Amino acid sequence: MGKYRCSRPIHPGELLKEEVEFRGLKQKTLAHQMELSYKILNDILNCRRPVTPSTAMLFEAALGISAEMLMRMQLDYSMRQTAEEPLFAARLKKIRQCVAAL
């Protein structure tokens, strides 16, 4: 768990939203151009939905932002969120203690 506490991972939606706003793009227009529902686009930009490989590739085509970078950001963010869930963290601790006793 320690390696996930070094810095705050950024949901890729934060980066994408900043880029969309910087370019002065309307979300509805972008969603239409990407052939993506407005709700999905808005949820991603507001960090309520993860970036998937297909949406990452759509963003790369529309905005020129690397799909691989977006997926790495999503993975880092998801790993941190999972590691910080109290029940899951307790489960990991228990497993590590059992393995250490072997």
Side-chain angles (χ1 to χ4, degrees):
M1 221 170 60
K3 74 179 193 177
Y4 301 112
R5 293 187 184 261
C6 296
S7 63
R8 179 182 81 86
I10 298 171
H11 188 287
E14 290 183 52
L15 171 77
L16 292 166
K17 187 173 187 176
E18 286 180 14
E19 186 65 25
V20 167
E21 290 173 353
F22 176 77
R23 294 183 188 200
L25 300 172
K26 302 276 186 212
Q27 288 186 27
K28 287 186 180 186
T29 302
L30 181 60
H32 178 74
Q33 290 172 343
M34 293 173 65
E35 298 181 7
L36 192 64
S37 81
Y38 169 78
K39 173 146 180 47
I40 290 173
L41 176 70
N42 185 264
D43 283 351
I44 291 170
L45 298 183
N46 287 296
C47 309
R48 291 188 299 261
R49 182 184 294 258
V51 170
T52 64
S54 59
T55 55
M57 292 190 309
L58 290 172
F59 280 113
E60 182 176 64
L63 302 175
I65 297 173
S66 165
E68 289 181 22
M69 181 188 73
L70 292 172
M71 290 307 302
R72 281 192 304 272
M73 289 176 73
Q74 183 63 58
L75 177 61
D76 289 345
Y77 182 82
S78 297
M79 293 289 288
R80 171 68 71 87
Q81 294 297 107
T82 301
E84 291 180 351
E85 290 177 12
L87 291 176
F88 190 73
R91 184 176 174 191
L92 288 176
K93 182 178 178 180
K94 181 180 175 184
I95 292 169
R96 289 182 181 122
Q97 288 171 342
C98 289
V99 171
L102 295 178

